[in-house]
Amino acid sequence: MTAQSKLSQTMIDNRFKMHDRILLGVALIAGIMLGTQLPLVAQPVLGQASSSVSRSNLRSYIGLTYRQLPTGFKDNGGWVVKGGRYRADFVQRGNTRMIWFTKVLKWDRGGAVPVQVVDVMELPTFPRSQELHYAFCRLDGVNDREIFAIAEATHDDIRTTIYRAWRANTKTEKIEPISTEGVACPQV
């Protein structure tokens, strides 16, 4: 990776970390959802092995309850999935980028809002020509905050070339792969 690529990646990471933290805080307070795209740059093509954390280690995070991420984990933002009760957090440990699907627990107004991890997914890697979209994706024309997807990075207002899609299902408390048919994500 060139020095310029490293600098660009650091600038992107810092910009999105600060931006998404502010948006998540506003969303939790206001009870609404705000979001943006989270690009992962210079990544291998989908399907290539890149996991630095085994599937069983990922599953070990389920049930974890916290107010602040444990030491060694990096908060890369996230979004409120539904009604302020569930959220999806972008968490990074080393080179492993994950989505922690969390449930907000009872809050006694002291300190940070406590959450419990109900499911975990390692974010797949994808090339620069694709972007991760969340918060504002639609299924068959209807907004659905549970859906997040990897789409072709175009200049179109609505991205319809969807490569992979998932649902952070608040009924089953699982992250579930779904068909890309009918999924579209606006460029935010």
Side-chain angles (χ1 to χ4, degrees), residues 67 106-114:
R67 289 178 183 260
K106 185 177 178 184
W107 181 49
D108 60 6
R109 302 210 187 275
V113 176

Side-chain angles (χ1 to χ4, degrees), residues 31-51:
I32 61 171
M33 174 154 59
L34 300 174
T36 187
Q37 301 159 14
L38 179 69
L40 299 178
V41 294
Q43 301 286 339
V45 177
L46 280 173
Q48 289 183 341
S50 67
S51 179

Side-chain angles (χ1 to χ4, degrees), residues 30 36 44 51-52 73 76-77 94-95 97 112 114 144 158 175 180 183 188:
T36 187
S51 179
S52 57
F73 291 87
N76 287 328
N95 291 326
R97 295 180 186 230
D144 192 331
I158 304 292
I175 297 171
T180 59
V183 176
V188 180

Side-chain angles (χ1 to χ4, degrees), residues 126-177:
F126 47 88
R128 285 178 170 251
S129 60
Q130 300 171 12
E131 292 179 329
L132 179 66
H133 291 268
Y134 57 94
F136 298 108
C137 289
R138 302 172 186 164
L139 180 61
D140 297 326
V142 178
N143 291 337
D144 192 331
R145 297 188 211 251
E146 292 186 347
I147 293 177
F148 58 103
I150 296 173
E152 185 68 27
T154 66
H155 295 292
D156 298 332
D157 289 341
I158 304 292
R159 309 254 171 99
T160 57
T161 303
I162 307 296
Y163 295 103
R164 296 180 73 180
W166 299 266
R167 174 179 298 282
N169 191 325
T170 56
K171 290 181 179 144
T172 64
E173 294 187 338
K174 299 285 182 204
I175 297 171
E176 303 166 346

